[in-house]
Amino acid sequence: MNKMLLFFDIDGTLAMPRSQPSDTVVQAIRAARLNGHKAFLSTGRSEASVPDGVAGIGFDGGIYSAGGRVIVGSTVLYGRPMPETLVHTVCEILKQECQPYSLECAGKTYRQKIELDDNGQAAWSGGSSELKRMLSCSDADAIDSYQGEPVYKISFIAPGRDQVDRISERIGDVAKVICFGNSISGPGYMVGEISDKCVNKGLALRKICAYYGMETSQCVAFGDSMNDAEILSAAGIGIAMADSEECVKSFADEICGTCAEDGVAKALVQLGLIRELVGGYIPDPPLRGRQGNSEG
């Protein structure tokens, strides 16, 4: 296969929050790079909040803050923070709605204290990867210590879909709001993500393609959440994790196994980007198409 650009979401794709990527996934990505393919992170996280176990895999660059910053090597190709007036407007709405939120900057995250009721505890055990990420963030500074740094994304937690929808209605005209579905049945906390309308991972992928003089057809992207929708659509091959929401899978060309199943590693083998994994590992079962059919 020709040399490809590979894009990997972190939470729910390479690993679950508070967990490290498996040795199999680490070896697979490193093997792909040794074969001449370029590997990039594609995450809602800022550079500063990428776990050491993920950064240590070795990447050629990354898409951060859900497309707000694009870096190749040590070069910042693109950076679009939210306008200060927009940050102020969004924060005022979230305060009025009494929902805790975090300001996500390139070098640090500032977050209000989050106190969960029983529904929140249930959501932690069964909610989306983005909810787990926000609740597991232990290195965030208090929101009161924010000193006006550029903000690339604002995340918030709400006790249910109705509250998220109401916030989205109030903010939707001035910014992009993404809601991450909850995998538990019944009521439970949910995460919303707010960013500049001109920012998404798909546009960021195109900027990296332009840098290398390559086509989007030469890209493979992996993801599991709605902030991966644009990059799954933009890439020549978009691959959603098996435990993604159905609406996320609709943007993908293929479905691979979960983190626990080393889905990313198996997909890289199946696509022919690496011959085999350490120990002669061969993927089984093969990739599944959109309708769940085996790909021959």
Side-chain angles (χ1 to χ4, degrees), residues 123-144:
W124 163 253
S125 63
S128 71
S129 61
E130 293 297 325
L131 177 62
K132 289 182 172 69
R133 177 187 70 83
M134 191 168 178
L135 293 177
S136 65
C137 180
S138 60
D139 58 351
D141 284 14
I143 199 77
D144 292 342

Side-chain angles (χ1 to χ4, degrees), residues 4-27:
M4 304 288 283
L5 304 180
L6 312 177
F7 297 85
F8 303 94
D9 174 51
I10 297 177
D11 299 291
T13 300
L14 292 183
M16 296 304 293
R18 286 185 176 174
S19 299
Q20 300 295 328
S22 70
D23 289 342
T24 299
V25 168
V26 171
Q27 293 164 7

Side-chain angles (χ1 to χ4, degrees), residues 63-77:
I63 297 169
Y64 302 99
S65 301
R69 281 174 64 84
V70 181
I71 297 175
V72 173
S74 59
T75 301
V76 179
L77 292 186

Side-chain angles (χ1 to χ4, degrees), residues 34-48:
L34 286 173
N35 284 345
H37 306 292
K38 301 288 187 183
F40 302 87
L41 290 173
S42 173
T43 178
R45 291 175 178 259
S46 66
E47 304 101 290

Side-chain angles (χ1 to χ4, degrees), residues 136-205:
S136 65
C137 180
S138 60
D139 58 351
D141 284 14
I143 199 77
D144 292 342
S145 64
Y146 173 65
Q147 297 295 314
E149 301 98 312
V151 174
Y152 288 87
K153 194 180 70 173
I154 299 173
S155 297
F156 67 94
I157 294 181
R161 173 75 67 171
D162 289 346
Q163 289 84 353
V164 174
D165 289 344
R166 186 172 65 246
I167 292 169
S168 181
E169 289 175 2
R170 296 188 63 184
I171 292 175
D173 290 339
V174 295
K176 180 176 68 176
V177 182
I178 292 176
C179 175
F180 299 100
N182 208 330
S183 62
I184 63 172
S185 60
Y189 278 68
M190 308 182 79
V191 166
E193 179 179 280
I194 304 165
S195 60
D196 190 293
K197 283 189 171 183
C198 298
V199 164
N200 65 66
K201 293 181 181 180
L203 293 175
L205 174 146

